[in-house]
């Protein structure tokens, strides 16, 4: 009879442990969103692939020495624009200089907050350092919002997990 009482209380104990956060990783899963199609002008999308109502575009780019380190040679200086973004907490996308085969030569993440100047123009600029600047054919943006990166299961079993942005693009990635 004592054994029956223990078995009857087991589901309740398991439920209490799960609710208290003392359970193992059973309920925590990490998944990564698919990388969107890179382009000169993209609709920024959340981790579910839904548009955020923000457009990001490369306005122009050129090869030139960076004014702070001109002795290091040419870098890719590009201007970008975010239309529809919030000045304080908007999205971020990866920008990549690519060769004629759309292989990334260098990438970095640009934030919409970088694009708000004193006159309210949503245009900003940045520099990409690439090993062979003469191979750059264009600068592309990847539409996935990189600004939202929730905690992983490894970092926090209780509150982590869920859908994460794709890994940031890097040198050698095919776009």
């Amino acid at each position: 009879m004592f054994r029956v009482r223990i078995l009857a209380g087991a589901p309740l104990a398991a439920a209490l442990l799960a609710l208290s956060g003392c359970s193992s990783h059973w309920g925590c899963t990490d998944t990564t969103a698919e990388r969107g199609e890179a382009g000169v002008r993209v609709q920024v999308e959340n981790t579910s692939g839904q548009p955020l109502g923000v457009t990001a575009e490369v306005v122009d780019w050129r090869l030139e020495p960076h004014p702070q380190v001109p002795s290091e040679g040419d870098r890719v200086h590009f201007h970008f624009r975010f239309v529809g973004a919030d000045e304080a907490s908007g999205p971020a996308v990866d920008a990549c200089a690519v060769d004629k085969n759309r292989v990334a030569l260098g990438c970095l993440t640009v934030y919409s907050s970088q694009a708000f100047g004193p006159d309210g123009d949503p245009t900003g600029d940045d520099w990409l350092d690439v090993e062979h600047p003469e191979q750059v054919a264009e600068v592309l943006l990847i539409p996935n919002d990189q600004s939202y990166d929730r905690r992983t299961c490894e970092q926090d079993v209780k509150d982590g997990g869920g859908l994460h942005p794709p890994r940031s693009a890097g040198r050698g990635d095919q776009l």
Side-chain angles (χ1 to χ4, degrees):
M1 185 146 113
F2 180 69
R3 184 174 182 188
V4 172
R5 285 187 191 158
I6 291 174
L7 291 176
L12 177 61
L16 288 174
L17 283 173
L19 290 174
S20 69
C22 295
S23 64
S24 70
H25 62 33
W26 295 333
C28 191
T29 57
D30 286 315
T31 54
T32 303
E34 293 283 324
R35 183 178 289 163
E37 180 70 27
V40 173
R41 180 182 167 107
V42 296
Q43 292 292 320
V44 182
E45 57 190 46
N46 65 17
T47 53
S48 299
Q50 300 301 313
L52 296 177
V54 176
T55 301
E57 66 180 309
V58 176
V59 178
D60 66 15
W61 67 272
R62 62 187 165 278
L63 297 177
E64 61 186 5
H66 192 287
Q68 294 177 338
V69 284
S71 62
E72 292 182 5
D74 283 343
R75 292 189 180 180
V76 180
H77 185 203
F78 69 102
H79 289 83
F80 56 92
R81 177 179 297 133
F82 281 88
V83 176
D86 181 318
E87 187 172 340
S89 61
V93 295
D94 287 338
C96 297
V98 298
D99 67 12
K100 64 182 178 181
N101 297 317
R102 294 176 61 112
V103 173
L105 302 172
C107 299
L108 60 82
T109 302
V110 292
Y111 293 81
S112 60
S113 59
Q114 292 174 263
F116 285 92
D119 59 357
D121 179 27
T123 303
D125 73 305
D126 215 323
W127 297 80
L128 287 161
D129 187 17
V130 297
E131 194 171 327
H132 298 285
E134 70 281 357
Q135 293 179 354
V136 176
E138 61 185 329
V139 176
L140 300 177
L141 301 175
I142 300 172
N144 305 90
D145 181 12
Q146 293 291 337
S147 68
Y148 179 69
D149 195 14
R150 64 185 329 150
R151 298 181 66 74
T152 64
C153 292
E154 186 176 294
Q155 293 168 325
D156 188 344
V157 173
K158 182 179 168 216
D159 297 322
L163 194 55
H164 300 277
R167 176 185 58 83
S168 286
R171 188 171 284 146
D173 285 356
Q174 178 71 49
L175 304 182

